[in-house]
Structure formats: C-alpha cells, structure tokens
Amino acid sequence: MRGKTKTKTKIKTKIKTRHDFKWWRNFVAKGAIYFVLICVGFVYLEPIFEMIAKTFMSSADIIDPSVTWIPKNLSLNNLKVAGTVLKVGPTLRNTILWSGGMALAQTIVSAMTGYALSRYEFKFKAFWFVMIVLAFIIPTPVTMIPRLMMFVSVQDATALQLIGTALPQVSMALLGQGVYSTVLILIFYTAFNMIPRVLDEAAQIDGASSLKIFWFIVVKMSATTILVVFLFSFVWNWNETYITGTLLRGNIELLPSKLNMFNSEFSTLVSAQGGAFKLNKAYKMAATLISISPLLLLYVFVQKQFIQGIENTGITGE
C-alpha cells in the first residue's frame, strides 16, 4: 500500500511540475510577444504622440527643454495659425470632394475590370494582366513624363485646356490608370474569384444578363470589398501630391499640397499681415494634425467594416 501511495504521489508531483513549467513557459512566451508588439507599436505611434503633444504646446513650452510630452500650458493657438495658413475651410472641402470623386471613379472601373478578368476568357488575357501589373511595378515618375507629353499634345491639337485642370486625372482614373489602380483591380479580382460561378450560371438560366449578374449578385455580395477599395483609393488620392502637382499645377487648393508649401505660405501670410509670428515646429505639427484628422475620423467610424472587408478580400493571404 505504501508503495502504491508513493507512486501516486510521484505521479501527481510530476504532473504538477509539468503543469507549472508549461504555464511558466506560456507566460514567458506571451510576455515576449507583447514586449515585441509594444516596441514595434511605439515606433509607429511615437511620431503621432509627439505631433499631438507639440500641437497643443504654448510658445513657452516649445522653448522649454524640460517639456517633452505633456504641455504645461495647453494652447489652441497653433491650430488657429495652422488653420489660417492652410485655409482649412475651402481646402478641406476641395480635398474631400477631390478624393471622394476620384475614389468613386476608381472603384467603379476597378470593379468592372476585376470582374472581366475573373469571369471572362478572351484573347491575350494573360498579356493584359501582365500589363496591368507592370503599370504598378514601373515607378510613377517614369510613366509621368510620357503621360504629360500625351496630355500636352492633345491640348495643343484640340485647343482644350487640360494641364491645370482635373480632366487628366479624371480620365486616368476612368481608364484604370489612377493612383494604385492595379492594387484595387487585384483586390476585386481576388474577391470575385471567391464567389461561386454556379450563382452566375443559375442567374443565366433564369435569363439574367451579364450586367444584372454583375450588379445583383457580384456587387451585392461584395459590399465590404467595395468599401475597402473605396477607402484605399480615398486615402491614396488624399495623400498623393506628385501627379496632382504635375497635372493640376495648384489650380485647386488641396490640403496635402498646402501642407507641402506650409513654410512659404506661412512666410507670405506673416509678411502680408505684418505679424511677429516666427515659424516653429509646433505650427508644422498642428498643420500635419489638421491634414490627417479627417482620415483618422473616417477610420474610426468604419474600422469594423474595413477590417472585415480586408479579411474577406484575402489581402492577408488567407
């Protein structure tokens, strides 16, 4: 009896030891993972925290070496000055309309292109697929020169003003050459491939045309994908300044463009008003915060649908 009791005690001790070791190993592993995630997250979030902190610092806090993160005296003056320099009212309206219109055009064209590549077989399909990918791989400055020359030639031949207007970029978006249109097409292509073709066949048996199949089946089942594509396009068009600056030439005032010219705009405004303001880092941080705030607010309201759409489109590789 004593031998059996000792054996049971040893077994229980071993089980408890293994359990304790397993729990400790899991604890250390999770701790290491969280430590790495916190470090990586801080690298990305630290500039944002610094931007927010300096935005609300007073002039005295800016020159005070003891103030790093938390302002001693909260001030909204930086936001007021930055908003005045950026002309935040009209530029914000112009940027929202511009980015929204371009995103809408890109979403429609990308959906139709992705549907055609997913559902139809035609000659040179592989060739055109490669051309679409090459349009993304080739650097934008390389393709910008021939595009600019093409628009200038059309402008000279038709006497229609193109450079300095929205027409070139609108036409590019409608022809599948907008900002990162290749990525948007591939997102739709992947999402549409996940929809069973038997649904198309069943609709065809019932007499539905290709347009009705596209609208009532494919589009209706891809609402989250459409939202993801629209948001991607909206953000990319919002932040894009190279193509816009080359073709639009500043004739439409947009927030990112005004932010790029903040130093000169600030100097011009101060000289015109005869003020005593001096450009400092706080004004620039406030201007940057104003520029990205609409995008942050947009993400806050649609983050649930956005994350769900990313999962459904297979962007994560699932």
Side-chain angles (χ1 to χ4, degrees):
M1 294 294 293
R2 291 181 179 178
K4 292 182 179 180
T5 302
K6 290 181 179 180
T7 302
K8 290 181 179 180
T9 303
K10 290 181 180 180
I11 293 174
K12 289 181 179 180
T13 303
K14 289 182 179 179
I15 293 175
K16 184 179 180 180
T17 302
R18 290 179 180 177
H19 180 268
D20 293 341
F21 176 75
K22 185 177 181 181
W23 178 88
W24 178 251
R25 183 181 61 184
N26 292 337
F27 176 78
V28 173
K30 288 183 178 179
I33 292 173
Y34 280 114
F35 176 77
V36 173
L37 291 176
I38 291 173
C39 292
V40 174
F42 180 78
V43 171
Y44 284 95
L45 295 177
E46 189 271 340
I48 298 178
F49 292 153
E50 182 182 2
M51 176 179 61
I52 295 174
K54 291 189 179 301
T55 296
F56 296 99
M57 285 185 182
S58 63
S59 300
D61 291 337
I62 294 296
I63 61 177
D64 189 348
S66 64
V67 178
T68 305
W69 293 102
I70 302 177
K72 292 181 179 180
N73 302 302
L74 291 176
S75 174
L76 298 177
N77 182 63
N78 298 326
L79 289 173
K80 293 179 181 179
V81 173
T84 302
V85 175
L86 293 176
K87 300 178 182 178
V88 68
T91 54
L92 178 60
R93 182 183 65 251
N94 292 343
T95 308
I96 292 176
L97 293 176
W98 173 266
S99 302
M102 298 295 290
L104 180 62
Q106 280 191 274
T107 302
I108 295 174
V109 173
S110 299
M112 297 176 67
T113 307
Y115 179 74
L117 293 173
S118 173
R119 288 297 192 267
Y120 296 109
E121 295 295 334
F122 48 87
K123 288 185 178 180
F124 307 113
K125 177 180 177 179
F127 170 78
W128 290 116
F129 199 94
V130 172
M131 290 297 102
I132 291 174
V133 175
L134 281 178
F136 174 72
I137 295 176
I138 298 176
T140 301
V142 175
T143 58
M144 191 65 249
I145 296 175
R147 285 174 178 171
L148 180 60
M149 295 174 62
M150 179 184 66
F151 286 123
V152 170
S153 299
V154 174
Q155 178 176 277
D156 295 338
T158 61
L160 177 65
Q161 183 65 33
L162 294 178
I163 305 301
T165 68
L167 291 177
Q169 285 179 269
V170 171
S171 62
M172 288 167 58
L174 293 176
L175 294 175
Q177 293 295 311
V179 181
Y180 299 136
S181 285
T182 297
V183 178
L184 307 182
I185 292 172
L186 293 179
I187 290 175
F188 274 122
Y189 174 75
T190 303
F192 293 161
N193 281 340
M194 297 179 182
I195 300 176
R197 294 176 181 267
V198 294
L199 298 178
D200 299 8
E201 296 172 357
Q204 288 176 350
I205 293 175
D206 291 337
S209 62
S210 299
L211 184 60
K212 288 185 176 180
I213 294 173
F214 173 71
W215 175 252
F216 290 103
I217 296 179
V218 177
V219 171
K220 299 294 184 181
M221 296 181 65
S222 306
T224 54
T225 303
I226 293 173
L227 176 63
V228 168
V229 169
F230 181 84
L231 290 178
F232 274 146
S233 180
F234 185 88
V235 173
W236 289 337
N237 280 284
W238 183 288
N239 294 323
E240 206 288 319
T241 56
Y242 176 72
I243 299 176
T244 303
T246 303
L247 297 177
L248 204 56
R249 304 289 174 88
N251 288 332
I252 299 178
E253 293 186 333
L254 304 175
L255 265 179
S257 301
K258 297 288 287 185
L259 182 63
N260 285 343
M261 301 174 61
F262 186 82
N263 292 358
S264 60
E265 293 284 343
F266 182 90
S267 301
T268 302
L269 182 63
V270 171
S271 299
Q273 295 184 354
F277 291 105
K278 291 185 178 180
L279 183 62
N280 57 43
K281 194 174 183 180
Y283 293 143
K284 296 181 181 180
M285 291 296 181
T288 305
L289 182 62
I290 292 174
S291 181
I292 68 173
S293 291
L295 301 180
L296 296 177
L297 291 175
L298 178 64
Y299 178 74
V300 168
F301 286 109
V302 300
Q303 60 175 324
K304 182 178 180 181
Q305 295 81 358
F306 181 73
I307 295 173
Q308 181 182 357
I310 289 180
E311 293 176 350
N312 294 338
T313 54
I315 295 177
T316 58
E318 298 178 357

